[in-house]
Amino acid sequence: MTVAFVPVRGGSKSIPLKNIKEFCGKPLVYWCLQSLHDCSGIDKIVVATDSPVIKTVVQSFNFPRVSVYDRKPENAVDTASTESVMLEYIEAANLSNDDIFILVQATSPLTKTEDFKESLELYNSRKYDSILTCVRNFRFFWNDDGTSKNYDYRSRPRRQDFDGTFMENGAFYINAVKNIKETKNRLSGKIGIYEMPEYTSSEIDEPDDWIILEHLMQRHILKKRKKDYSKIRLVLTDVDGVLTDGGMYYSENGDEMKKFNTRDGMAIQLLREDGIKTGIITSEDTEIVARRAKKIKVDFCIQGKRNGGKLSAAKEICKNLGISLAETAYIGDDINCKELLESVGFAFCPNDAQIEILRIPNIVVLKTKGGCGVVREMARFIKEKM
Protein backbone atom coordinates (compact mmCIF):
# COMPACT_ATOMS: atom_id res chain seq x y z
CA MET A 1 0.00 0.00 0.00
CA THR A 2 1.17 3.51 -0.76
CA VAL A 3 0.21 6.13 1.84
CA ALA A 4 0.56 9.89 1.37
CA PHE A 5 0.86 11.74 4.66
CA VAL A 6 0.20 15.49 4.94
CA PRO A 7 0.93 17.05 8.37
CA VAL A 8 -0.82 20.40 8.94
CA ARG A 9 -0.77 22.19 12.27
CA GLY A 10 -3.26 24.80 13.33
CA GLY A 11 -0.70 26.84 15.24
CA SER A 12 1.25 28.65 12.54
CA LYS A 13 2.51 31.97 13.96
CA SER A 14 3.68 33.82 10.83
CA ILE A 15 0.41 33.17 8.94
CA PRO A 16 -2.38 32.00 11.31
CA LEU A 17 -4.18 28.89 10.00
CA LYS A 18 -2.20 29.23 6.79
CA ASN A 19 -3.00 25.70 5.66
CA ILE A 20 -6.64 26.66 5.07
CA LYS A 21 -6.09 30.29 4.11
CA GLU A 22 -7.34 31.00 0.58
CA PHE A 23 -4.62 30.45 -2.01
CA CYS A 24 -5.61 31.03 -5.66
CA GLY A 25 -9.27 30.70 -4.72
CA LYS A 26 -9.04 27.55 -2.58
CA PRO A 27 -7.64 26.62 0.86
CA LEU A 28 -3.88 26.08 0.64
CA VAL A 29 -4.02 22.41 1.65
CA TYR A 30 -6.52 21.71 -1.15
CA TRP A 31 -3.88 21.93 -3.87
CA CYS A 32 -1.60 19.12 -2.66
CA LEU A 33 -4.64 16.96 -1.83
CA GLN A 34 -6.06 17.41 -5.31
CA SER A 35 -2.73 16.46 -6.91
CA LEU A 36 -2.46 13.41 -4.64
CA HIS A 37 -6.07 12.40 -5.26
CA ASP A 38 -5.48 12.47 -9.03
CA CYS A 39 -2.48 10.14 -8.69
CA SER A 40 -3.67 6.58 -9.27
CA GLY A 41 -0.57 5.11 -7.63
CA ILE A 42 -1.53 6.40 -4.18
CA ASP A 43 -3.94 4.24 -2.17
CA LYS A 44 -4.56 6.38 0.89
CA ILE A 45 -4.13 10.09 1.70
CA VAL A 46 -3.96 11.13 5.34
CA VAL A 47 -4.09 14.68 6.70
CA ALA A 48 -2.71 14.83 10.25
CA THR A 49 -3.90 17.87 12.18
CA ASP A 50 -4.60 19.12 15.70
CA SER A 51 -7.13 21.70 14.48
CA PRO A 52 -10.89 20.97 14.37
CA VAL A 53 -11.26 23.88 11.93
CA ILE A 54 -8.72 22.39 9.50
CA LYS A 55 -10.35 18.98 9.90
CA THR A 56 -13.75 20.38 8.92
CA VAL A 57 -12.33 22.17 5.87
CA VAL A 58 -10.46 19.07 4.65
CA GLN A 59 -13.54 16.88 5.05
CA SER A 60 -15.57 19.41 3.07
CA PHE A 61 -13.47 18.65 -0.04
CA ASN A 62 -15.13 15.20 -0.17
CA PHE A 63 -12.06 13.50 -1.68
CA PRO A 64 -12.91 9.78 -1.30
CA ARG A 65 -9.37 8.62 -0.50
CA VAL A 66 -8.59 11.45 1.95
CA SER A 67 -9.02 10.88 5.68
CA VAL A 68 -8.10 13.00 8.70
CA TYR A 69 -5.92 11.78 11.57
CA ASP A 70 -6.17 13.62 14.89
CA ARG A 71 -2.53 14.04 15.88
CA LYS A 72 -1.52 14.19 19.52
CA PRO A 73 -1.11 17.69 21.02
CA GLU A 74 2.51 17.02 22.02
CA ASN A 75 3.37 16.37 18.37
CA ALA A 76 1.72 19.57 17.18
CA VAL A 77 3.79 22.13 19.11
CA ASP A 78 6.45 24.35 17.55
CA THR A 79 9.28 22.21 18.93
CA ALA A 80 7.90 18.87 17.67
CA SER A 81 9.57 17.38 14.62
CA THR A 82 7.72 16.18 11.54
CA GLU A 83 9.26 12.76 12.15
CA SER A 84 7.53 12.57 15.52
CA VAL A 85 4.05 12.82 14.02
CA MET A 86 5.03 10.48 11.15
CA LEU A 87 6.07 7.81 13.64
CA GLU A 88 2.98 8.48 15.75
CA TYR A 89 0.70 7.81 12.79
CA ILE A 90 2.65 4.79 11.53
CA GLU A 91 2.23 3.16 14.94
CA ALA A 92 -1.42 4.19 15.36
CA ALA A 93 -2.36 2.94 11.87
CA ASN A 94 -0.26 -0.21 12.28
CA LEU A 95 1.24 0.22 8.81
CA SER A 96 3.09 -2.70 7.27
CA ASN A 97 6.87 -2.52 6.95
CA ASP A 98 6.49 -2.91 3.19
CA ASP A 99 4.13 0.03 2.84
CA ILE A 100 5.42 3.05 0.90
CA PHE A 101 5.18 6.31 2.84
CA ILE A 102 5.11 9.71 1.12
CA LEU A 103 5.57 12.75 3.35
CA VAL A 104 3.93 15.72 1.60
CA GLN A 105 4.17 19.40 2.56
CA ALA A 106 0.99 21.45 2.10
CA THR A 107 3.16 24.57 1.95
CA SER A 108 4.39 23.49 -1.49
CA PRO A 109 1.19 23.97 -3.54
CA LEU A 110 2.95 23.92 -6.92
CA THR A 111 3.50 20.15 -6.73
CA LYS A 112 1.67 18.43 -9.59
CA THR A 113 0.16 14.96 -9.94
CA GLU A 114 2.88 14.18 -12.49
CA ASP A 115 5.53 14.81 -9.83
CA PHE A 116 4.04 12.16 -7.56
CA LYS A 117 3.63 9.69 -10.43
CA GLU A 118 7.17 10.12 -11.77
CA SER A 119 8.84 10.04 -8.35
CA LEU A 120 6.99 6.84 -7.44
CA GLU A 121 8.22 5.30 -10.69
CA LEU A 122 11.75 6.30 -9.69
CA TYR A 123 11.31 4.78 -6.23
CA ASN A 124 9.77 1.57 -7.61
CA SER A 125 12.76 1.14 -9.94
CA ARG A 126 14.50 -0.09 -6.75
CA LYS A 127 17.60 1.98 -7.49
CA TYR A 128 17.12 3.95 -4.28
CA ASP A 129 15.99 3.34 -0.71
CA SER A 130 14.36 6.76 -0.40
CA ILE A 131 13.59 9.81 -2.54
CA LEU A 132 13.61 13.56 -1.92
CA THR A 133 12.64 16.45 -4.15
CA CYS A 134 15.11 19.11 -5.21
CA VAL A 135 15.47 21.98 -7.65
CA ARG A 136 18.64 22.86 -9.47
CA ASN A 137 19.92 26.16 -8.11
CA PHE A 138 22.17 28.33 -10.26
CA ARG A 139 23.24 30.77 -7.54
CA PHE A 140 26.84 31.09 -6.39
CA PHE A 141 27.41 30.35 -2.68
CA TRP A 142 30.16 31.46 -0.31
CA ASN A 143 31.57 30.27 3.03
CA ASP A 144 31.93 32.44 6.13
CA ASP A 145 35.67 32.68 5.60
CA GLY A 146 35.28 34.38 2.21
CA THR A 147 35.97 31.31 0.08
CA SER A 148 33.63 30.31 -2.71
CA LYS A 149 31.61 27.15 -2.06
CA ASN A 150 30.37 25.91 -5.43
CA TYR A 151 32.43 27.67 -8.10
CA ASP A 152 35.84 29.17 -8.83
CA TYR A 153 35.46 32.97 -8.78
CA ARG A 154 38.66 33.30 -10.82
CA SER A 155 36.96 31.48 -13.68
CA ARG A 156 33.35 32.54 -13.28
CA PRO A 157 31.13 30.27 -15.43
CA ARG A 158 28.27 31.49 -17.55
CA ARG A 159 24.87 30.29 -16.34
CA GLN A 160 24.41 28.09 -19.40
CA ASP A 161 27.77 26.42 -18.67
CA PHE A 162 27.10 25.98 -14.93
CA ASP A 163 25.59 22.68 -13.72
CA GLY A 164 24.19 24.35 -10.63
CA THR A 165 23.63 22.81 -7.20
CA PHE A 166 20.73 20.68 -6.04
CA MET A 167 18.69 22.38 -3.34
CA GLU A 168 16.03 20.60 -1.28
CA ASN A 169 12.66 22.26 -1.89
CA GLY A 170 10.70 20.40 0.78
CA ALA A 171 7.83 19.35 -1.50
CA PHE A 172 7.75 15.65 -0.56
CA TYR A 173 9.80 12.60 0.46
CA ILE A 174 9.34 8.88 -0.21
CA ASN A 175 10.55 5.99 1.95
CA ALA A 176 9.50 2.55 3.15
CA VAL A 177 7.74 2.34 6.51
CA LYS A 178 10.37 -0.15 7.67
CA ASN A 179 13.19 2.33 7.04
CA ILE A 180 11.37 5.19 8.78
CA LYS A 181 10.75 3.07 11.87
CA GLU A 182 14.37 1.90 12.01
CA THR A 183 16.08 5.25 11.39
CA LYS A 184 13.33 7.55 12.75
CA ASN A 185 13.98 9.71 9.69
CA ARG A 186 12.13 10.55 6.48
CA LEU A 187 15.26 9.67 4.46
CA SER A 188 17.61 6.71 4.71
CA GLY A 189 19.93 4.40 2.78
CA LYS A 190 20.76 5.29 -0.80
CA ILE A 191 18.91 8.53 -1.50
CA GLY A 192 17.62 9.41 -4.95
CA ILE A 193 16.82 12.93 -6.15
CA TYR A 194 13.65 13.77 -8.02
CA GLU A 195 14.30 17.06 -9.78
CA MET A 196 11.44 19.57 -9.91
CA PRO A 197 11.24 22.84 -11.90
CA GLU A 198 13.10 25.85 -10.56
CA TYR A 199 9.83 27.73 -9.89
CA THR A 200 9.01 25.19 -7.15
CA SER A 201 12.03 26.21 -5.09
CA SER A 202 10.00 28.21 -2.55
CA GLU A 203 7.52 27.06 0.08
CA ILE A 204 5.13 29.22 2.08
CA ASP A 205 6.48 30.35 5.44
CA GLU A 206 6.02 34.13 5.41
CA PRO A 207 3.38 36.52 3.97
CA ASP A 208 5.69 37.57 1.12
CA ASP A 209 5.99 33.91 0.06
CA TRP A 210 2.23 33.87 -0.36
CA ILE A 211 2.26 36.69 -2.89
CA ILE A 212 5.12 35.19 -4.89
CA LEU A 213 3.74 31.65 -4.99
CA GLU A 214 0.23 32.76 -5.98
CA HIS A 215 1.77 34.48 -9.01
CA LEU A 216 3.85 31.39 -9.85
CA MET A 217 0.81 29.14 -9.39
CA GLN A 218 -1.22 31.18 -11.86
CA ARG A 219 1.60 31.30 -14.41
CA HIS A 220 3.02 27.78 -14.28
CA ILE A 221 0.16 25.58 -13.07
CA LEU A 222 -3.31 27.02 -13.49
CA LYS A 223 -2.86 28.57 -16.94
CA LYS A 224 -1.37 25.33 -18.28
CA ARG A 225 -3.67 22.89 -16.53
CA LYS A 226 -5.85 20.93 -18.93
CA LYS A 227 -9.07 19.97 -17.22
CA ASP A 228 -10.42 16.46 -17.67
CA TYR A 229 -14.10 17.07 -18.32
CA SER A 230 -14.77 13.33 -18.33
CA LYS A 231 -14.46 13.52 -14.53
CA ILE A 232 -17.63 15.62 -14.19
CA ARG A 233 -20.25 13.68 -12.22
CA LEU A 234 -22.57 16.54 -11.27
CA VAL A 235 -23.73 19.73 -13.02
CA LEU A 236 -25.39 22.45 -10.95
CA THR A 237 -26.95 25.70 -12.10
CA ASP A 238 -28.24 28.95 -10.69
CA VAL A 239 -31.64 30.25 -11.83
CA ASP A 240 -31.91 34.05 -12.20
CA GLY A 241 -29.41 35.29 -14.78
CA VAL A 242 -28.63 31.75 -15.95
CA LEU A 243 -31.79 29.72 -16.58
CA THR A 244 -33.57 33.07 -16.94
CA ASP A 245 -32.52 36.44 -18.32
CA GLY A 246 -32.64 37.91 -14.82
CA GLY A 247 -35.77 39.90 -15.60
CA MET A 248 -38.75 40.10 -13.25
CA TYR A 249 -42.07 39.83 -15.07
CA TYR A 250 -45.47 40.56 -13.50
CA SER A 251 -49.01 39.97 -14.74
CA GLU A 252 -51.83 42.52 -14.38
CA ASN A 253 -52.80 40.69 -11.20
CA GLY A 254 -49.30 41.12 -9.77
CA ASP A 255 -48.27 37.48 -10.28
CA GLU A 256 -44.52 37.02 -10.71
CA MET A 257 -43.35 35.23 -13.86
CA LYS A 258 -39.99 34.04 -15.19
CA LYS A 259 -38.97 33.26 -18.76
CA PHE A 260 -37.04 30.00 -19.19
CA ASN A 261 -35.34 28.75 -22.34
CA THR A 262 -36.45 25.35 -23.67
CA ARG A 263 -32.92 24.61 -24.92
CA ASP A 264 -31.72 24.40 -21.33
CA GLY A 265 -34.29 21.65 -20.73
CA MET A 266 -32.67 19.69 -23.56
CA ALA A 267 -29.26 20.31 -21.96
CA ILE A 268 -30.41 18.63 -18.74
CA GLN A 269 -31.73 15.66 -20.75
CA LEU A 270 -28.43 15.26 -22.62
CA LEU A 271 -26.40 15.44 -19.41
CA ARG A 272 -28.68 12.84 -17.85
CA GLU A 273 -28.17 10.53 -20.85
CA ASP A 274 -24.41 10.80 -20.27
CA GLY A 275 -24.87 9.64 -16.68
CA ILE A 276 -24.28 13.08 -15.15
CA LYS A 277 -26.47 14.12 -12.23
CA THR A 278 -28.00 17.60 -12.40
CA GLY A 279 -29.33 20.11 -9.93
CA ILE A 280 -30.56 23.63 -9.29
CA ILE A 281 -29.30 25.72 -6.37
CA THR A 282 -30.83 29.17 -5.99
CA SER A 283 -31.27 31.86 -3.36
CA GLU A 284 -34.89 32.33 -4.45
CA ASP A 285 -37.73 30.15 -3.14
CA THR A 286 -40.65 30.04 -5.57
CA GLU A 287 -43.17 27.56 -6.88
CA ILE A 288 -42.19 28.64 -10.41
CA VAL A 289 -38.68 27.21 -9.98
CA ALA A 290 -40.01 24.05 -8.33
CA ARG A 291 -42.32 23.43 -11.30
CA ARG A 292 -39.54 24.11 -13.82
CA ALA A 293 -37.18 21.74 -11.98
CA LYS A 294 -39.83 19.01 -12.04
CA LYS A 295 -40.53 19.52 -15.74
CA ILE A 296 -36.89 19.28 -16.84
CA LYS A 297 -36.31 16.42 -14.36
CA VAL A 298 -33.24 17.67 -12.48
CA ASP A 299 -32.06 15.33 -9.73
CA PHE A 300 -31.82 18.06 -7.10
CA CYS A 301 -33.64 21.36 -6.58
CA ILE A 302 -32.53 23.35 -3.55
CA GLN A 303 -34.00 26.81 -3.00
CA GLY A 304 -33.62 29.61 -0.47
CA LYS A 305 -29.86 29.30 -0.11
CA ARG A 306 -28.32 32.67 0.81
CA ASN A 307 -25.12 33.90 2.51
CA GLY A 308 -22.88 30.96 1.67
CA GLY A 309 -25.74 28.49 1.61
CA LYS A 310 -25.12 27.56 -2.02
CA LEU A 311 -21.73 26.09 -1.22
CA SER A 312 -23.04 24.11 1.76
CA ALA A 313 -25.93 22.81 -0.37
CA ALA A 314 -23.50 21.67 -3.09
CA LYS A 315 -21.32 19.93 -0.49
CA GLU A 316 -24.35 18.08 0.85
CA ILE A 317 -25.32 16.91 -2.63
CA CYS A 318 -21.74 15.72 -3.25
CA LYS A 319 -21.75 13.88 0.05
CA ASN A 320 -24.98 12.10 -0.87
CA LEU A 321 -23.55 11.08 -4.25
CA GLY A 322 -20.17 10.06 -2.83
CA ILE A 323 -18.27 12.48 -5.05
CA SER A 324 -16.19 15.62 -4.50
CA LEU A 325 -16.57 19.26 -5.51
CA ALA A 326 -13.64 18.62 -7.84
CA GLU A 327 -16.02 16.43 -9.90
CA THR A 328 -18.70 19.11 -9.96
CA ALA A 329 -19.52 21.79 -12.53
CA TYR A 330 -21.49 24.90 -11.62
CA ILE A 331 -22.74 27.83 -13.67
CA GLY A 332 -23.57 31.13 -11.98
CA ASP A 333 -23.61 34.81 -12.80
CA ASP A 334 -23.56 37.00 -9.68
CA ILE A 335 -21.63 37.54 -6.46
CA ASN A 336 -23.83 35.14 -4.45
CA CYS A 337 -22.48 32.41 -6.77
CA LYS A 338 -18.81 33.37 -6.34
CA GLU A 339 -17.96 31.15 -3.37
CA LEU A 340 -19.36 28.05 -5.03
CA LEU A 341 -17.80 28.87 -8.40
CA GLU A 342 -14.38 29.17 -6.74
CA SER A 343 -14.84 25.81 -4.98
CA VAL A 344 -15.96 23.49 -7.79
CA GLY A 345 -13.64 21.76 -10.22
CA PHE A 346 -15.39 23.22 -13.28
CA ALA A 347 -16.75 26.78 -13.19
CA PHE A 348 -18.90 28.37 -15.91
CA CYS A 349 -20.73 31.66 -16.37
CA PRO A 350 -22.81 33.47 -19.04
CA ASN A 351 -21.04 36.21 -20.99
CA ASP A 352 -23.13 38.88 -19.25
CA ALA A 353 -22.14 37.75 -15.73
CA GLN A 354 -21.03 40.32 -13.17
CA ILE A 355 -17.41 41.49 -13.39
CA GLU A 356 -16.47 39.75 -10.10
CA ILE A 357 -17.53 36.45 -11.67
CA LEU A 358 -15.81 37.05 -14.99
CA ARG A 359 -12.53 37.58 -13.11
CA ILE A 360 -12.58 34.20 -11.31
CA PRO A 361 -9.41 32.29 -12.33
CA ASN A 362 -10.01 29.60 -14.98
CA ILE A 363 -13.76 30.14 -15.22
CA VAL A 364 -15.21 29.28 -18.63
CA VAL A 365 -17.02 32.35 -19.94
CA LEU A 366 -19.61 31.08 -22.40
CA LYS A 367 -20.70 33.01 -25.50
CA THR A 368 -24.39 32.99 -24.57
CA LYS A 369 -26.20 35.38 -22.25
CA GLY A 370 -28.25 34.21 -19.31
CA GLY A 371 -31.70 33.00 -20.26
CA CYS A 372 -30.70 32.46 -23.89
CA GLY A 373 -29.78 28.78 -23.68
CA VAL A 374 -26.48 29.21 -21.84
CA VAL A 375 -26.83 25.86 -20.02
CA ARG A 376 -27.30 24.20 -23.42
CA GLU A 377 -23.99 25.75 -24.53
CA MET A 378 -22.40 24.55 -21.30
CA ALA A 379 -23.63 20.98 -21.90
CA ARG A 380 -22.32 21.08 -25.48
CA PHE A 381 -18.94 22.38 -24.23
CA ILE A 382 -18.66 19.56 -21.68
CA LYS A 383 -19.68 16.93 -24.26
CA GLU A 384 -17.06 18.12 -26.74
CA LYS A 385 -14.33 18.08 -24.08
CA MET A 386 -15.15 14.63 -22.68
Side-chain angles (χ1 to χ4, degrees):
M1 180 170 67
T2 299
V3 179
F5 187 75
V6 187
V8 287
R9 293 192 309 119
S12 172
K13 288 185 171 59
S14 59
I15 307 174
L17 287 174
K18 68 179 177 182
N19 291 297
I20 55 172
K21 179 179 167 65
E22 186 177 291
F23 178 89
C24 290
K26 296 186 184 294
L28 176 62
V29 69
Y30 173 90
W31 296 106
C32 72
L33 294 181
Q34 183 191 49
S35 294
L36 288 166
H37 185 263
D38 290 343
C39 181
S40 59
I42 296 173
D43 302 299
K44 187 174 183 180
I45 305 161
V46 179
V47 176
T49 186
D50 60 319
S51 167
V53 178
I54 293 177
K55 181 176 182 178
T56 299
V57 171
V58 169
Q59 290 174 334
S60 74
F61 300 150
N62 292 323
F63 287 126
R65 285 183 288 127
V66 174
S67 61
V68 177
Y69 171 72
D70 297 312
R71 61 198 284 182
K72 294 178 180 179
E74 59 265 32
N75 285 329
V77 296
D78 291 340
T79 55
S81 67
T82 300
E83 272 74 9
S84 67
V85 70
M86 289 167 54
L87 292 164
E88 175 197 327
Y89 173 75
I90 288 171
E91 181 179 358
N94 194 27
L95 295 186
S96 167
N97 283 340
D98 295 330
D99 287 339
I100 299 172
F101 195 91
I102 310 175
L103 170 64
V104 182
Q105 305 286 15
T107 49
S108 297
L110 278 65
T111 307
K112 298 183 293 185
T113 297
E114 291 76 10
D115 296 319
F116 292 119
K117 287 180 179 178
E118 292 172 3
S119 60
L120 279 170
E121 289 173 0
L122 180 62
Y123 178 81
N124 289 325
S125 70
R126 300 187 181 278
K127 295 179 181 178
Y128 305 101
D129 299 302
S130 58
I131 302 289
L132 84 157
T133 59
C134 292
V135 297
R136 198 178 291 271
N137 190 292
F138 292 92
R139 297 281 185 173
F140 297 131
F141 294 96
W142 288 73
N143 299 304
D144 291 342
D145 62 1
T147 57
S148 55
K149 182 174 289 188
N150 64 336
Y151 83 112
D152 183 354
Y153 70 91
R154 291 163 297 187
S155 180
R156 190 181 189 93
R158 297 180 304 164
R159 180 184 173 94
Q160 58 265 40
D161 299 325
F162 181 48
D163 290 336
T165 303
F166 276 125
M167 179 182 78
E168 191 172 335
N169 69 348
F172 62 93
Y173 309 79
I174 305 177
N175 206 343
V177 166
K178 179 181 182 221
N179 295 337
I180 296 172
K181 286 161 60 174
E182 287 178 354
T183 64
K184 295 180 170 50
N185 198 293
R186 68 191 74 181
L187 295 169
S188 60
K190 186 177 181 182
I191 300 171
I193 293 176
Y194 175 74
E195 184 176 353
M196 292 180 66
E198 190 175 3
Y199 64 78
T200 66
S201 62
S202 299
E203 54 185 322
I204 295 177
D205 285 320
E206 301 297 333
D208 284 350
D209 299 331
W210 204 278
I211 298 169
I212 294 168
L213 263 71
E214 276 199 313
H215 175 75
L216 293 172
M217 183 77 166
Q218 292 287 357
R219 180 179 178 184
H220 293 285
I221 306 296
L222 297 181
K223 285 187 177 180
K224 296 180 180 180
R225 180 172 287 176
K226 292 184 178 179
K227 293 192 175 184
D228 184 358
Y229 288 85
S230 67
K231 291 184 177 180
I232 294 177
R233 298 290 177 266
L234 172 67
V235 169
L236 299 171
T237 177
D238 186 25
V239 176
D240 290 328
V242 178
L243 290 176
T244 78
D245 59 7
M248 303 295 289
Y249 301 89
Y250 295 91
S251 70
E252 289 184 358
N253 296 325
D255 297 323
E256 181 182 324
M257 296 180 289
K258 296 179 185 291
K259 181 171 75 73
F260 294 93
N261 194 295
T262 57
R263 293 173 185 169
D264 291 336
M266 177 57 71
I268 298 300
Q269 179 182 325
L270 294 173
L271 290 168
R272 185 168 56 248
E273 290 174 356
D274 284 335
I276 297 173
K277 297 292 184 180
T278 58
I280 291 172
I281 299 179
T282 176
S283 56
E284 298 294 323
D285 192 354
T286 67
E287 183 60 29
I288 298 173
V289 172
R291 287 201 299 268
R292 182 59 178 164
K294 184 177 180 179
K295 181 173 178 59
I296 63 178
K297 299 178 182 179
V298 294
D299 298 290
F300 305 92
C301 179
I302 301 177
Q303 299 195 67
K305 293 299 178 181
R306 303 174 183 273
N307 302 324
K310 289 188 176 185
L311 177 57
S312 62
K315 288 178 179 177
E316 189 62 31
I317 293 173
C318 288
K319 183 177 180 181
N320 290 338
L321 294 175
I323 64 174
S324 70
L325 285 172
E327 299 167 287
T328 301
Y330 177 62
I331 179 168
D333 73 307
D334 214 331
I335 55 174
N336 60 346
C337 301
K338 188 171 185 288
E339 185 179 27
L340 180 51
L341 285 168
E342 290 176 335
S343 301
V344 295
F346 306 86
F348 294 82
C349 71
N351 75 352
D352 58 346
Q354 291 298 301
I355 189 67
E356 296 91 341
I357 303 303
L358 296 171
R359 287 175 176 171
I360 292 175
N362 298 305
I363 193 168
V364 177
V365 181
L366 298 164
K367 298 176 182 178
T368 312
K369 293 182 179 181
C372 297
V374 68
V375 178
R376 180 69 179 88
E377 183 188 345
M378 175 192 185
R380 185 187 305 113
F381 181 97
I382 292 172
K383 181 74 172 178
E384 292 173 351
K385 295 290 184 179
M386 291 177 69

